[in-house]
Amino acid sequence: MAVGDSALSSPMGPPACEKDAKALRFIEEMTRNADVVQETVLAEILSRNAETEYLRRFKLNGGTDRAAFKSKIPMIKYEDLQPEIQRIANGDRSPILSAHPISEFLTSSGTSAGERKLMPTIKEELNRRQLLYSLLMPVMNLYVPGLDKGKGLYFLFIKSETKTPGGLLARPVLTSYYKSDHFKTRPYDPYNVYTSPNEAILCPNSFQSMYSQMLCGLLERKQVLRVGAVFASGLLRAIRFLQLNWAQLAHDIRTGTLNPKVTDPSLKNCMTRTLKPDPVLADFVDSECSKDNWEGIITRIWPNTKYLDVIVTGAMAQYIPTLDYYSGGLPQACTMYASSECYFGLNLNPMCKPAEVSYTIMPNMAYFEFLPHEPNSTGLTQNSPPELVDLADVEVGKEYELVITTYAGLYRYRVGDVLRVTGFHNSAPQFHFVRRKNVLLSIDSDKTDEAELQNAVCNASRVLSEFGMSVAEYTSYADTTTIPGHYVIYFELLMKDSAELPCESVLSRCCLAMEESLNSVYRQGRVSDNSIGPLEIRVVKNGTFEEFMDYAISRGASINQYKVPRCVSFTPIMELLDSRVVSSHFSPSLPHWTPERRC
């Protein structure tokens, strides 16, 4: 097949090179035979893991066909697998879940009992993840020509890692990838060159890492063709960092010296070699960043930027207007769909509008099943097990919860993502990410559900009870107008003396009590990553939530079935609440957080 022969095409033209053409042919091959590939993947997983304790427990007896698998292996959640995971974490090296040794745990942003979930993985999974990464630029090159003529300014970071009692590393999936040889010794690719050196990305200190990455981005500002981060919130944090630190950055550029706060030895050596005095660039940074108006700052500083590469689906959609403001409306590309449990697929039309993003599931990554999703339903009945749908058999327009079986030892595992089928590429379905199940609040990688929020409110009420007060009603929302974003909780209080509001110190204590109650992912975002701002409590006038109910009923809600929503995003409701606020209070300090120790 010639370089230009590919069913994947765009108005911009053919594949950029033979390497791209090979990657695009692979996508076509996998998606054209999705069901056959899925059958092969399941057989491989079941065959290699036939003697594991988990599969033997369900008497699969070495069977590799779908019918036996579906009839004998139950669908599970994390809590069902926790005893096995704990044994592995404690040092049991027998083949419990996987015949291949568990190489490490990937910590999920989802939590169980307030702590990150531990996802088992094996060494070869790095190859699978690398394979999906290798497909992203060949697709992007179809839509955006000339990316080999410049660089990408990507703000990438590692996070803290711990060891389980049995000695296995536990860390986020991206930290695992960035620290791997797949990333550190990746071959040169002119279409995928970063301004940030590895030393900056791999620096464990978030300030030093961000400072150095921003400095490199400024030094090479005319070479930058795309700007990105993993999540939209991460890119906005980088812009806020520039707002706070541009004067020092300009000083470093002017003098050719490095901020003394950058002390990491390898990073300091790397940056010292890079820096040369450049008063013209320093004057430019001074001029642009000292202006009050930061609209379009991304294209003002990096004028050749063609698009932003960030995730803006799901909870990240709330950041789209702010990204538009800072970028002057640049396209926002969502390129791939992945999680700690598994990498799933990619966006074959990456320059589409954020609301139109659909991900094509790559059938070679894992075995995929889909639980039909009905609102207000668990998908289970008392009389019969759920009917799961195979990858090739989902229906356009319907919503499903994703269920996966992986090479690393997750079998019929409910990921918790709700997806809507938007179409097919060949025989592989394409999905729009609808939402994460049961998540009320999310600013960055944090996910707070209703039970966690309720527990946090109860702990705030305990503080108030010391002063003869309690929480009569509450709701919440994720405020992303600030950088970083923060949780806002609306309280209507019940007080013995309705004329006497609690003092500032009491409600500040309530804010901190709530933060201390939230899960470790939230607290790490507050303490270590600086990705979440202090929690805010807004006290509203008595009767506000009755007005809230009246408004909902006027719009058709049933008075008999009405329940106060614990999270709001509808503008008229938020305007109503904000118009009734009598006082506002923030957490006075950081909550407790230390890297988790598994025991």
Side-chain angles (χ1 to χ4, degrees):
M1 185 182 288
V3 171
D5 295 338
S6 172
L8 264 176
S9 60
S10 81
M12 301 306 297
C17 59
E18 178 56 39
K19 180 184 174 185
D20 280 14
K22 182 179 179 182
L24 298 176
R25 287 196 295 269
F26 177 78
I27 294 172
E28 290 301 292
E29 180 185 347
M30 290 295 105
T31 58
R32 201 177 281 128
N33 305 292
D35 197 50
V36 174
V37 173
Q38 281 282 275
E39 195 166 24
T40 301
V41 165
L42 180 61
E44 288 176 354
I45 292 171
L46 297 180
S47 175
R48 67 154 62 175
N49 295 320
E51 296 303 312
T52 58
E53 178 185 316
Y54 189 85
L55 290 183
R56 286 168 65 90
R57 181 185 307 162
F58 296 104
K59 297 179 170 56
L60 205 55
N61 300 324
T64 61
D65 62 290
R66 288 184 185 180
F69 173 75
K70 288 174 176 286
S71 66
K72 294 183 177 181
I73 305 300
M75 184 172 63
I76 60 169
K77 294 182 178 180
Y78 181 79
E79 288 70 23
D80 301 314
L81 209 56
Q82 213 160 0
E84 287 78 13
I85 288 175
Q86 197 63 60
R87 284 171 55 198
I88 298 169
N90 288 341
D92 191 333
R93 295 294 179 262
S94 63
I96 299 171
L97 299 174
S98 169
H100 287 219
I102 300 302
S103 57
E104 63 180 318
F105 286 108
L106 303 177
T107 54
S108 169
S109 59
T111 58
S112 177
E115 299 300 328
R116 289 181 184 268
K117 296 176 182 177
L118 292 175
M119 296 299 164
T121 192
I122 57 180
K123 282 186 177 179
E124 74 172 48
E125 279 299 301
L126 269 171
N127 298 331
R128 244 179 295 280
R129 291 194 283 272
Q130 180 59 43
L131 173 61
L132 192 61
Y133 281 125
S134 73
L135 304 177
L136 303 182
M137 288 312 296
V139 173
M140 183 60 76
N141 289 337
L142 292 174
Y143 293 85
V144 185
L147 291 175
D148 58 331
K149 304 298 190 292
K151 298 184 178 184
L153 169 53
Y154 282 78
F155 296 97
L156 307 175
F157 305 92
I158 61 169
K159 294 192 176 183
S160 63
E161 58 186 42
T162 59
K163 281 195 174 182
T164 68
L168 288 176
L169 280 172
R171 55 189 179 181
V173 63
L174 289 176
T175 298
S176 172
Y177 177 66
Y178 296 149
K179 287 191 168 186
S180 73
D181 288 338
H182 286 74
F183 181 81
K184 291 192 293 185
T185 61
R186 60 195 183 278
Y188 174 77
D189 179 354
Y191 293 93
N192 204 8
V193 180
Y194 298 148
T195 56
S196 298
N198 285 356
E199 291 86 348
I201 295 169
L202 296 173
C203 176
N205 182 280
S206 60
F207 175 88
Q208 294 179 49
S209 177
M210 177 74 87
Y211 190 92
S212 301
Q213 293 189 59
M214 184 64 75
L215 184 55
C216 289
L218 293 172
L219 292 172
E220 300 191 81
R221 74 179 196 90
K222 291 184 179 178
Q223 292 181 263
V224 170
L225 300 182
R226 51 205 170 104
V227 175
V230 177
F231 294 115
S233 56
L235 182 53
L236 291 176
R237 276 204 313 282
I239 298 302
R240 179 59 177 163
F241 186 91
L242 181 60
Q243 286 180 315
L244 295 173
N245 294 280
W246 63 263
Q248 181 64 47
L249 288 158
H251 172 271
D252 291 7
I253 295 168
R254 187 180 307 281
T255 61
T257 59
L258 184 63
N259 185 340
K261 291 183 179 178
V262 178
T263 57
D264 181 273
S266 62
L267 179 55
K268 187 175 180 179
N269 290 338
C270 172
M271 295 304 298
T272 302
R273 291 194 305 269
T274 302
L275 268 173
K276 300 289 186 294
D278 189 341
V280 174
L281 176 58
D283 287 343
F284 171 81
V285 173
D286 275 338
S287 173
E288 287 297 328
C289 294
S290 61
K291 294 174 182 175
D292 291 335
N293 181 8
W294 272 53
E295 184 173 2
I297 193 67
I298 291 175
T299 46
R300 281 157 48 187
I301 292 183
W302 298 284
N304 299 316
T305 306
K306 299 186 178 189
Y307 65 93
L308 306 180
D309 189 347
V310 285
I311 294 172
V312 288
T313 51
M316 292 296 119
Q318 60 194 327
Y319 296 106
I320 292 171
T322 312
L323 287 174
D324 283 337
Y325 174 83
Y326 285 122
S327 73
L330 282 174
Q332 297 165 18
C334 296
T335 56
M336 68 183 292
Y337 173 37
S339 76
S340 301
E341 295 91 336
C342 178
Y343 279 27
F344 306 119
L346 69 166
N347 182 2
L348 297 181
N349 182 18
M351 299 305 283
C352 67
K353 295 178 180 177
E356 299 169 357
V357 169
S358 289
Y359 300 103
T360 301
I361 299 292
M362 288 297 289
N364 58 304
M365 298 303 292
Y367 183 68
F368 300 103
E369 296 175 276
F370 298 87
L371 176 64
H373 176 70
E374 299 293 337
N376 305 316
S377 169
T378 63
L380 304 174
T381 66
Q382 292 182 340
N383 301 322
S384 62
E387 290 291 331
L388 299 189
V389 179
D390 285 327
L391 180 70
D393 297 330
V394 296
E395 298 178 43
V396 173
K398 290 193 174 181
E399 291 185 2
Y400 300 87
E401 182 184 344
L402 181 60
V403 179
I404 61 171
T405 297
T406 70
Y407 286 89
L410 297 177
Y411 304 95
R412 308 195 92 184
Y413 178 85
R414 296 176 68 169
V415 174
D417 289 355
V418 178
L419 311 174
R420 182 185 305 116
V421 186
T422 58
F424 284 79
H425 180 75
N426 296 323
S427 62
Q430 298 176 305
F431 294 92
H432 175 72
F433 182 93
V434 178
R435 62 183 175 86
R436 183 81 172 173
K437 285 193 74 175
N438 304 322
V439 173
L440 280 185
L441 295 169
S442 178
I443 294 293
D444 188 55
S445 59
D446 53 301
K447 297 178 177 68
T448 298
D449 62 27
E450 185 167 344
E452 288 176 310
L453 183 60
Q454 174 65 34
N455 180 57
V457 170
C458 286
N459 286 335
S461 287
R462 290 191 184 97
V463 174
L464 292 170
S465 67
E466 300 172 22
F467 302 90
M469 294 173 277
S470 62
V471 178
E473 264 308 351
Y474 73 93
T475 190
S476 65
Y477 87 100
D479 184 354
T480 57
T481 61
T482 60
I483 302 176
H486 68 292
Y487 289 8
V488 174
I489 318 296
Y490 293 96
F491 275 3
E492 185 173 318
L493 299 178
L494 186 63
M495 297 174 281
K496 290 179 180 177
D497 182 355
S498 59
E500 184 181 334
L501 282 172
C503 64
E504 162 67 24
S505 62
V506 172
L507 283 159
S508 294
R509 277 180 58 197
C510 289
C511 293
L512 186 57
M514 291 190 70
E515 292 199 301
E516 293 284 9
S517 308
L518 295 174
N519 61 62
S520 63
V521 181
Y522 173 90
R523 287 180 281 115
Q524 180 176 349
R526 281 280 284 122
V527 177
S528 175
D529 302 339
N530 300 312
S531 59
I532 304 171
L535 183 144
E536 178 184 4
I537 290 175
R538 295 179 187 173
V539 179
V540 297
K541 294 177 182 176
N542 285 351
T544 296
F545 278 84
E546 194 168 331
E547 293 183 62
F548 190 165
M549 181 182 71
D550 291 342
Y551 181 83
I553 292 169
S554 74
R555 292 178 55 84
S558 166
I559 191 168
N560 294 318
Q561 296 178 312
Y562 176 79
K563 294 189 296 183
V564 174
R566 294 312 181 197
C567 182
V568 294
S569 58
F570 186 48
T571 301
I573 290 292
M574 292 164 66
E575 289 175 347
L576 169 64
L577 290 166
D578 281 332
S579 71
R580 303 296 188 270
V581 171
V582 294
S583 64
S584 181
H585 313 268
F586 289 87
S587 189
S589 58
L590 294 171
H592 174 76
W593 177 83
T594 55
E596 298 156 30
R597 295 194 176 276
R598 303 284 174 178
C599 55

